[in-house]
Amino acid sequence: MRELLDESIDVVGVGGIQSGSDAFEMMLCGASAVQVGTCHWTEGPKCFDRICSELRDIMKSKGYTSVDDFKGKLKPWSKDGAAKSRAAKKAATTNSGEDKNSSKTSSGGSGTDMTMICAVLAVIIAVLLADKFGVVSI
């Protein structure tokens, strides 16, 4: 998309930005900025500092000092590149001790928050249904 637009038009990465890695990937594809929506709604304003910190850590680990160092530099897909990427992810997972059954989410948080949200929603739905059918009165 970035290659098809005039350089004076900025691209904003939108959708699913919950971590520094998500922001990095959007910028790697050519985004000048990213929009954080649902994550802000669920986590609050502290998500901005966390995402920025994670992005800074990624940039530092890759030797980047500026967003312009990697913005729009996504390499074209290749079979060899995909194989190397899978091998690197597998090695990182093996080295970190995480497995597919780990309670950590892909953004590095725990599944406990989501479990709590689901439990609260289930209780609310149960109470509303009980009220509707006259089992309890609110």
Side-chain angles (χ1 to χ4, degrees):
M1 179 69 149
R2 171 74 268 162
E3 293 172 356
L4 300 175
L5 295 173
D6 184 274
E7 287 189 31
S8 66
I9 300 173
D10 288 326
V11 172
V12 178
V14 178
I17 309 296
Q18 296 187 21
S19 68
S21 179
D22 296 331
F24 177 79
E25 290 171 0
M26 289 283 193
M27 292 177 175
L28 192 61
C29 290
S32 298
V34 295
Q35 175 182 326
V36 179
T38 303
C39 184
H40 177 245
W41 184 74
T42 58
E43 189 177 328
K46 66 183 178 181
C47 72
F48 300 118
D49 289 335
R50 180 184 54 76
I51 291 170
C52 287
S53 175
E54 292 172 1
L55 180 58
R56 262 188 245 107
D57 291 345
I58 291 168
M59 290 173 60
K60 185 177 179 181
S61 73
K62 295 184 177 293
Y64 299 131
T65 57
S66 164
V67 170
D68 289 331
D69 292 344
F70 65 90
K71 184 177 109 181
K73 305 272 169 78
L74 182 67
K75 295 179 183 175
W77 185 89
S78 72
K79 196 171 192 177
D80 291 336
K84 288 178 185 176
S85 178
R86 281 191 302 275
K89 284 181 183 177
K90 186 175 182 180
T93 301
T94 302
N95 291 340
S96 69
E98 291 182 15
D99 61 20
K100 291 180 182 176
N101 296 322
S102 175
S103 65
K104 294 221 175 202
T105 62
S106 61
S107 63
S110 72
T112 306
D113 292 339
M114 188 54 82
T115 302
M116 182 61 87
I117 290 170
C118 290
V120 169
L121 288 174
V123 169
I124 291 170
I125 291 169
V127 170
L128 291 173
L129 286 172
D131 179 56
K132 178 178 174 118
F133 292 109
V135 177
V136 297
S137 179
I138 298 178

